[in-house]
Amino acid sequence: MNYKLTFIFFICFINAYSINNKWEVKYNSNTKGINVVKNKELISENLSASYKLDEKVIFSSEYAKQETRTRKITDSFGKGSLITITYTDKRFPVLTQLFYVYPDKDYILTEFTLEDKSAEIAVNYMAPVNLSGIPSMQESSDNRALFVPFDNDCWVRYQSHPLTFDKLTSYEVTAIFNNTSRKGIVLGSVEHDNWKSAIEMKKGNAERAASVICYAGVADQLTRDSKSHGILKGKIVKSPKMLFGTFNDWRTGMDEYGKANATIAPPKAWNKAVPFGWNSWGVLQFKLTFPKAMEVSDFFKNNLQNNGFANSDHLVYIGLDSGWNSFSEDQLKAFVRKCKENGQIAGVYWTPFTDWGKNPEATVGDAETYKFKDIYIYANGKPQELDGAYAIDPTHPAIEARMKKTSELFRRCGFEYVKMDFMTHGAMEGDKWYRHEIRTGMQAYNYGMKLLGQYFGDMYINLSISPIFPAQYAQSRRIACDAWNKIKDTEYTMNAVSYGWWIDHVYQYNDADHVVLQEATEGENRARVTSAVITGLYIAGDDFSEGGSVEGKEKAKKFFTNQDINAIANGISFRPVEGNAEKSENQFVRTDNNGLYYVVFNYGEEDLNIRIPIERLGLKTGQKYSAKELWSGQMLDINSVLNIPGKDVKVLRIY
């Protein structure tokens, strides 16, 4: 494949397919690639599909013949056209490339199939989008590419990279954009049933990447895999569907990417408000006891719920994390009763795909006919360890047996909310799975998550450590790894919101993790609370039992009861104002019926003085606005310099 970027039009050799007033697809019979045109502007030149056969990469441009058909379609995305290009060659399986084009969308969708009627195909790499470069950003400065991690384990970070890298791999999706104009391209997978996907970008120059490949079949350290991606087999094998779009604002493009995923796999239903509450892993952790849990419930009832710390359903969720299994069943039932008496929902915790004992000869609890060695996901003949636990096979009947008995216990006790943790273990690639039709880690994960929905589906499910996708099995997901009380925890959480806020389109809510207040400055407290209310779930984490920190309790009364701040927490994530921070963005914005909210964090030690970027916020220069800083209650002139002390935050509501 020639990856040299050239913009040469062979007019006499091009078959043009005018799909609507916005989109055109052009098959270039000279280069045997696809040109995609939007609003008369070339978006990609010579797009091709590729796959690996016997470890050799084969491109659609290598095929001898092609035939194109176009027909009208109506599907969940709306009314549009489907272009089908069928490639045939005696040397290769039939390759059928499909383009889904909608006149009201700023993106197209594409996928392809391989078919051999006489023999089974075996493939573990399929790339629906191969671009030999992208059109110039035109602007020569501040062009970026977004790194999105596969999961949120091991304190992984999102990152906005200048186009100076030799090679960059982003997982499931990326945006390539100019931060000044905000114009950009979004590429990513919108199906997550069988494949783990990635976008590989190689160095070009300051204006463009030299090559971009959006492919299925990634398996590496950041997908937590120690062996290659599983092999799909059959007379017909299909790639995932990929989104490819251009947008005047890359942030809107990421939102549209999230919505496209949700169109295919709608978020798990939830008809109640975003959870406010508490989780025991913040400070108590393994010091959790039955008396302390009861005391925490009473503290919220007597000190916080009656002072405005409750969601719009007037409920608080009190969650037991790891360590709850030291309680007897009678104690668990008593805890749930206490929560209900106090106007609260009781929550609990489980890790469905892990063995923490790491003893292969031990008997599996709730499935006594098996030993743990029978249920591991082996890679190259060895158990796989991550985060101190062995990964177990979601397709093994022992896992379903454990789900059945655990869910029955939770239901008998009355729990309505469950935090599911260390889910990535269930998505690891393996030598094989108990169910022989399962061939990839993502297939196994989907199998296990469907079972989880079968047994826990009547409960609110909040994922903790987990892949971003698939997302349809839980109402919410923690947006980053563990975070506690310091400004570094706020900065780390906001790194994920900076470039992953759009995930709240594929889940009902993002989760900023538990907010701990003790042993931090008041500025850090304000910043950490703000990081939660502008992300999604609003979960406290201090020890509010009778023996808990007096500091934590007094700060909770102060910082969890600001009505202006709490009113922001409706579960809709703020999005970044900019996209070019070295680590994390510090300015965030959201507009609703109450006005425009503008948040500025100061992650550093020294004071930060900035002018409010009126135009970047979408406001009009010359227009008069009123602004209230919500932590202090102070009215501000938005044309004045805004001072944010070190390790603090300002939250403005602008009318």
Side-chain angles (χ1 to χ4, degrees):
M1 181 72 174
N2 180 9
Y3 284 106
K4 183 179 179 182
L5 181 63
T6 55
F7 285 86
I8 300 172
F9 291 87
F10 299 90
I11 302 299
C12 61
F13 294 106
I14 293 177
N15 297 320
Y17 305 99
S18 181
I19 303 307
N20 49 58
N21 292 332
K22 180 181 286 187
W23 292 100
E24 293 179 354
V25 173
K26 299 181 177 180
Y27 178 79
N28 189 320
S29 57
N30 185 47
T31 62
K32 297 185 178 181
I34 305 296
N35 292 352
V36 179
V37 176
K38 178 187 174 189
N39 295 328
K40 307 302 181 183
E41 179 183 353
L42 181 67
I43 302 305
S44 72
E45 185 181 40
N46 297 331
L47 182 153
S48 63
S50 68
Y51 60 95
K52 284 184 180 178
L53 196 64
D54 299 326
E55 295 304 311
K56 180 183 178 182
V57 178
I58 298 169
F59 292 88
S60 54
S61 56
E62 297 180 52
Y63 278 71
K65 297 178 181 179
Q66 67 81 25
E67 180 182 349
T68 302
R69 299 187 306 276
T70 302
R71 64 181 176 89
K72 300 295 184 182
I73 58 169
T74 300
D75 58 19
S76 57
F77 287 88
K79 293 183 178 180
S81 299
L82 174 62
I83 302 171
T84 302
I85 305 174
T86 303
Y87 299 86
T88 56
D89 192 302
K90 293 180 180 180
R91 300 170 296 169
F92 309 128
V94 175
L95 190 158
T96 304
Q97 191 176 23
L98 301 103
F99 293 91
Y100 302 80
V101 184
Y102 307 91
D104 60 340
K105 303 296 186 187
D106 284 315
Y107 58 80
I108 62 174
L109 302 172
T110 184
E111 63 188 356
F112 74 96
T113 63
L114 298 173
E115 181 176 3
D116 190 331
K117 295 180 179 179
S118 62
E120 188 175 63
I121 301 165
V123 61
N124 73 342
Y125 174 94
M126 299 180 77
V129 178
N130 293 263
L131 303 176
S132 53
I134 59 171
S136 170
M137 296 284 187
Q138 297 181 350
E139 300 89 348
S140 61
S141 62
D142 215 8
N143 293 311
R144 326 283 299 186
L146 189 63
F147 167 77
V148 176
F150 174 76
D151 66 10
N152 56 348
D153 205 357
C154 304
W155 287 274
V156 68
R157 281 178 171 267
Y158 294 72
Q159 189 66 57
S160 172
H161 290 270
L163 295 186
T164 55
F165 49 78
D166 290 328
K167 180 181 175 181
L168 176 66
T169 299
S170 182
Y171 296 84
E172 302 296 345
V173 65
T174 192
I176 304 171
F177 63 96
N178 178 268
N179 189 64
T180 303
S181 70
R182 289 186 173 140
K183 291 182 179 179
I185 291 171
V186 174
L187 268 168
S189 174
V190 293
E191 290 182 338
H192 313 278
D193 298 326
N194 303 305
W195 298 92
K196 297 171 186 170
S197 299
I199 301 88
E200 180 184 283
M201 296 159 276
K202 291 185 178 179
K203 182 177 180 179
N205 56 40
E207 297 180 25
R208 68 189 73 187
S211 69
V212 180
I213 303 172
C214 193
Y215 72 97
V218 64
D220 58 22
Q221 184 178 8
L222 286 181
T223 62
R224 317 304 170 187
D225 288 309
S226 57
K227 67 174 299 173
S228 59
H229 195 283
I231 297 172
L232 288 175
K233 296 181 179 181
K235 295 291 181 66
I236 300 178
V237 179
K238 189 182 96 64
S239 78
K241 192 171 289 183
M242 303 290 192
L243 177 147
F244 176 30
T246 65
F247 302 88
N248 289 329
D249 188 328
W250 69 277
R251 301 172 305 167
T252 301
M254 295 304 297
D255 283 328
E256 288 300 308
Y257 169 75
K259 292 174 184 178
N261 279 275
T263 298
I264 291 173
K268 184 174 171 59
W270 183 244
N271 59 5
K272 298 180 182 178
V274 60
F276 284 41
W278 175 82
N279 180 268
S280 64
W281 195 250
V283 171
L284 275 173
Q285 298 189 18
F286 288 125
K287 294 177 287 186
L288 175 68
T289 65
F290 171 67
K292 289 180 179 179
M294 301 289 272
E295 291 161 6
V296 168
S297 175
D298 284 337
F299 178 86
F300 273 82
K301 168 70 174 178
N302 298 327
N303 297 280
L304 298 180
Q305 287 166 249
N306 57 353
N307 286 307
F309 184 81
N311 66 15
S312 58
D313 294 330
H314 308 292
L315 290 172
V316 165
Y317 293 71
I318 304 296
L320 306 179
D321 207 282
S322 187
W324 65 265
N325 52 350
S326 66
F327 294 21
S328 69
E329 184 169 333
D330 286 342
Q331 288 175 327
L332 292 172
K333 290 177 178 176
F335 169 73
V336 173
R337 285 196 301 271
K338 166 69 75 173
C339 288
K340 288 183 177 180
E341 291 167 1
N342 286 341
Q344 300 158 356
I345 300 294
V348 70
Y349 173 92
W350 198 43
T351 61
F353 303 139
T354 55
D355 170 30
W356 297 96
K358 294 189 294 186
N359 180 359
E361 297 298 329
T363 299
V364 178
D366 296 330
E368 290 79 8
T369 57
Y370 298 101
K371 294 184 176 181
F372 273 100
K373 66 181 180 182
D374 301 323
I375 68 171
Y376 292 148
I377 305 173
Y378 292 91
N380 304 311
K382 297 179 180 179
Q384 300 184 79
E385 183 177 352
L386 177 64
D387 301 320
Y390 283 166
I392 57 181
D393 178 359
T395 78
H396 197 283
I399 309 311
E400 183 173 1
R402 296 202 325 166
M403 287 184 183
K404 183 176 186 296
K405 292 189 178 181
T406 301
S407 64
E408 287 172 349
L409 170 64
F410 290 172
R411 202 168 285 105
R412 284 198 308 273
C413 294
F415 289 104
E416 300 175 51
Y417 176 110
V418 58
K419 174 183 172 183
M420 298 287 184
D421 206 355
F422 298 100
M423 309 303 286
T424 302
H425 289 71
M428 288 180 169
E429 302 300 327
D431 297 334
K432 61 179 181 179
W433 288 265
Y434 179 85
R435 298 191 69 90
H436 298 303
E437 72 272 19
I438 300 295
R439 296 186 179 276
T440 73
M442 196 54 72
Q443 287 180 337
Y445 185 73
N446 274 281
Y447 184 93
M449 294 302 285
K450 288 174 184 175
L451 283 178
L452 206 69
Q454 177 182 331
Y455 289 103
F456 297 87
D458 57 340
M459 304 178 193
Y460 183 104
I461 297 177
N462 181 37
L463 302 183
S464 189
I465 297 296
S466 70
I468 297 175
F469 297 108
Q472 67 267 29
Y473 303 107
Q475 280 90 354
S476 58
R477 172 185 175 271
R478 204 166 71 192
I479 200 163
C481 200
D482 298 355
W484 282 273
N485 58 343
K486 299 296 188 180
I487 196 67
K488 65 179 179 63
D489 297 290
T490 294
E491 183 274 327
Y492 172 66
T493 297
M494 297 316 299
N495 166 267
V497 181
S498 296
Y499 309 118
W501 79 92
W502 49 270
I503 297 171
D504 73 352
H505 293 295
V506 296
Y507 296 89
Q508 299 288 351
Y509 312 115
N510 291 321
D511 175 8
D513 203 15
H514 43 246
V515 174
V516 175
L517 301 176
Q518 70 176 50
E519 300 178 3
T521 67
E522 291 201 350
E524 288 176 305
N525 295 157
R526 282 188 289 269
R528 187 69 183 102
V529 171
T530 302
S531 72
V533 300
I534 73 172
T535 299
L537 270 63
Y538 190 5
I539 306 297
D542 282 271
D543 177 2
F544 298 118
S545 68
E546 291 180 6
S549 164
V550 173
E551 177 198 9
K553 294 173 189 173
E554 292 305 311
K555 284 185 168 182
K557 295 175 188 177
K558 180 176 182 178
F559 293 107
F560 289 149
T561 57
N562 181 312
Q563 296 307 294
D564 282 334
I565 294 294
N566 289 359
I568 299 173
N570 64 1
I572 301 174
S573 295
F574 281 48
R575 69 180 189 175
V577 175
E578 305 295 344
N580 62 348
E582 184 177 344
K583 295 181 70 176
S584 303
E585 302 301 329
N586 73 326
Q587 300 178 68
F588 297 85
V589 64
R590 192 186 77 200
T591 302
D592 61 23
N593 293 334
N594 295 317
L596 182 145
Y597 292 97
Y598 172 58
V599 175
V600 187
F601 292 94
N602 184 354
Y603 306 127
E605 299 280 346
E606 305 299 325
D607 282 14
L608 175 66
N609 295 299
I610 68 169
R611 287 196 176 275
I612 297 172
I614 295 173
E615 291 185 348
R616 296 293 274 180
L617 296 180
L619 301 175
K620 297 178 181 179
T621 56
Q623 177 81 32
K624 289 186 178 181
Y625 295 97
S626 298
K628 179 181 180 181
E629 202 289 308
L630 301 186
W631 278 113
S632 64
Q634 179 183 4
M635 299 303 295
L636 300 175
D637 177 0
I638 69 167
N639 294 305
S640 63
V641 174
L642 186 64
N643 173 262
I644 307 97
K647 298 191 293 186
D648 210 332
V649 69
K650 295 288 185 183
V651 181
L652 275 62
R653 184 169 62 214
I654 301 174
Y655 306 88

Coordinates of all heavy atoms in Angstrom, one line a residue, residues 111-139:
E111 N -18.3 -0.6 7.0 CA -17.9 -1.9 7.5 C -17.6 -2.7 6.3 O -17.8 -2.3 5.1 CB -19.0 -2.5 8.3 CG -20.2 -2.8 7.5 CD -21.4 -3.2 8.4 OE1 -21.2 -3.4 9.6 OE2 -22.5 -3.4 7.9
F112 N -17.0 -3.9 6.5 CA -16.9 -4.9 5.4 C -17.0 -6.3 5.9 O -16.8 -6.6 7.1 CB -15.6 -4.6 4.6 CG -14.3 -5.1 5.2 CD1 -13.8 -6.3 4.9 CD2 -13.7 -4.2 6.1 CE1 -12.6 -6.7 5.5 CE2 -12.5 -4.6 6.7 CZ -11.9 -5.9 6.4
T113 N -17.3 -7.2 4.9 CA -17.4 -8.6 5.2 C -16.4 -9.4 4.3 O -16.1 -8.9 3.2 CB -18.8 -9.2 5.0 OG1 -19.1 -9.1 3.7 CG2 -19.8 -8.5 5.9
L114 N -15.9 -10.5 4.8 CA -15.2 -11.4 4.0 C -16.0 -12.7 3.8 O -16.6 -13.2 4.8 CB -13.8 -11.8 4.6 CG -12.9 -10.6 4.8 CD1 -11.7 -11.0 5.6 CD2 -12.4 -10.0 3.4
E115 N -16.1 -13.3 2.6 CA -16.9 -14.5 2.4 C -16.2 -15.4 1.5 O -15.6 -15.1 0.5 CB -18.2 -14.1 1.8 CG -19.2 -15.2 1.5 CD -20.5 -14.8 1.0 OE1 -20.7 -13.6 0.8 OE2 -21.4 -15.7 0.8
D116 N -16.2 -16.7 1.9 CA -15.7 -17.8 1.0 C -16.7 -19.0 1.2 O -16.8 -19.6 2.2 CB -14.3 -18.2 1.5 CG -13.6 -19.1 0.5 OD1 -14.3 -19.9 -0.2 OD2 -12.4 -19.1 0.5
K117 N -17.4 -19.3 0.1 CA -18.4 -20.3 0.2 C -17.8 -21.7 0.2 O -18.5 -22.6 0.6 CB -19.3 -20.2 -1.0 CG -20.2 -18.9 -1.0 CD -21.1 -18.8 -2.3 CE -21.9 -17.5 -2.2 NZ -22.8 -17.4 -3.4
S118 N -16.6 -21.8 -0.1 CA -16.0 -23.2 -0.2 C -15.1 -23.5 1.0 O -14.8 -24.7 1.2 CB -15.1 -23.3 -1.5 OG -14.1 -22.4 -1.5
A119 N -14.7 -22.5 1.8 CA -13.8 -22.8 2.9 C -14.0 -21.8 4.0 O -14.5 -20.7 3.8 CB -12.3 -22.7 2.4
E120 N -13.7 -22.2 5.2 CA -13.8 -21.3 6.4 C -12.7 -20.3 6.4 O -11.6 -20.6 6.2 CB -13.8 -22.2 7.7 CG -14.1 -21.4 8.9 CD -14.2 -22.3 10.1 OE1 -13.1 -22.9 10.5 OE2 -15.2 -22.4 10.8
I121 N -13.1 -19.1 6.7 CA -12.1 -18.0 6.8 C -11.7 -17.8 8.3 O -12.6 -18.0 9.2 CB -12.8 -16.6 6.3 CG1 -13.2 -16.7 4.9 CG2 -11.8 -15.5 6.5 CD1 -14.1 -15.6 4.4
A122 N -10.5 -17.6 8.5 CA -9.9 -17.4 9.9 C -9.2 -16.0 9.9 O -8.2 -15.9 9.2 CB -9.0 -18.5 10.3
V123 N -9.7 -15.1 10.7 CA -9.1 -13.7 10.6 C -9.1 -13.1 12.0 O -10.1 -13.2 12.7 CB -9.8 -12.9 9.5 CG1 -11.3 -12.7 9.9 CG2 -9.1 -11.5 9.4
N124 N -8.1 -12.4 12.4 CA -8.1 -11.6 13.6 C -7.7 -10.2 13.4 O -7.3 -9.5 14.4 CB -7.3 -12.3 14.7 CG -5.8 -12.1 14.5 OD1 -5.3 -11.8 13.4 ND2 -5.0 -12.4 15.5
Y125 N -7.7 -9.7 12.2 CA -7.4 -8.3 11.9 C -8.3 -7.8 10.7 O -8.2 -8.4 9.6 CB -5.9 -8.1 11.6 CG -5.5 -6.7 11.1 CD1 -5.1 -5.8 12.1 CD2 -5.6 -6.4 9.8 CE1 -4.7 -4.5 11.7 CE2 -5.2 -5.1 9.4 CZ -4.8 -4.2 10.3 OH -4.4 -2.9 9.9
M126 N -9.1 -6.8 10.9 CA -9.9 -6.3 9.8 C -9.9 -4.8 10.0 O -10.3 -4.3 11.1 CB -11.4 -6.8 9.9 CG -11.4 -8.3 9.7 SD -13.1 -9.0 9.7 CE -13.7 -8.5 8.0
A127 N -9.6 -4.0 9.0 CA -9.4 -2.6 9.0 C -10.4 -2.0 8.0 O -10.0 -1.9 6.8 CB -8.0 -2.1 8.8
P128 N -11.6 -1.5 8.4 CA -12.5 -0.9 7.4 C -12.0 0.4 6.9 O -12.4 0.8 5.8 CB -13.8 -0.7 8.2 CG -13.7 -1.7 9.3 CD -12.2 -1.8 9.7
V129 N -11.1 1.1 7.6 CA -10.7 2.4 7.2 C -9.2 2.5 7.2 O -8.5 2.4 8.2 CB -11.2 3.6 8.1 CG1 -10.7 4.9 7.6 CG2 -12.8 3.6 8.1
N130 N -8.6 2.6 6.0 CA -7.2 2.8 5.8 C -7.1 4.1 5.0 O -7.6 4.2 3.9 CB -6.5 1.7 5.0 CG -6.4 0.4 5.7 OD1 -5.4 0.1 6.3 ND2 -7.5 -0.3 5.6
L131 N -6.4 5.1 5.6 CA -6.3 6.4 4.9 C -4.8 6.7 4.8 O -4.0 6.6 5.7 CB -6.9 7.6 5.8 CG -8.4 7.4 6.1 CD1 -8.8 8.6 7.1 CD2 -9.2 7.4 4.9
S132 N -4.4 7.0 3.5 CA -3.0 7.4 3.3 C -2.9 8.9 3.5 O -2.8 9.7 2.6 CB -2.6 7.0 1.9 OG -3.5 7.5 0.9
G133 N -3.0 9.2 4.7 CA -3.0 10.6 5.1 C -4.5 11.2 5.2 O -5.4 10.6 4.8
I134 N -4.6 12.4 5.8 CA -5.9 13.1 5.9 C -5.7 14.4 5.2 O -4.6 14.9 5.2 CB -6.3 13.2 7.3 CG1 -5.3 14.0 8.2 CG2 -6.7 11.8 7.9 CD1 -5.8 14.3 9.5
P135 N -6.8 15.0 4.7 CA -6.6 16.4 4.2 C -6.0 17.3 5.2 O -6.2 17.2 6.4 CB -8.1 16.8 3.9 CG -8.8 15.5 3.7 CD -8.1 14.5 4.6
S136 N -5.3 18.3 4.7 CA -4.6 19.3 5.5 C -5.6 20.0 6.5 O -6.7 20.3 6.1 CB -3.9 20.3 4.7 OG -3.5 21.4 5.5
M137 N -5.2 20.2 7.7 CA -6.0 21.0 8.6 C -6.0 22.5 8.2 O -6.7 23.3 8.8 CB -5.4 20.9 10.1 CG -5.4 19.5 10.6 SD -7.1 19.1 11.2 CE -6.7 17.5 12.0
Q138 N -5.1 22.8 7.3 CA -5.0 24.2 6.8 C -4.2 25.1 7.8 O -3.2 25.7 7.4 CB -6.3 24.9 6.4 CG -7.0 24.1 5.2 CD -8.3 24.8 4.8 OE1 -8.8 25.6 5.5 NE2 -8.9 24.3 3.7
E139 N -4.6 25.1 9.0 CA -3.9 25.7 10.0 C -2.6 24.9 10.3 O -2.7 23.7 10.4 CB -4.7 25.9 11.3 CG -6.0 26.7 11.2 CD -7.1 25.9 10.8 OE1 -6.9 24.7 10.5 OE2 -8.3 26.4 10.8

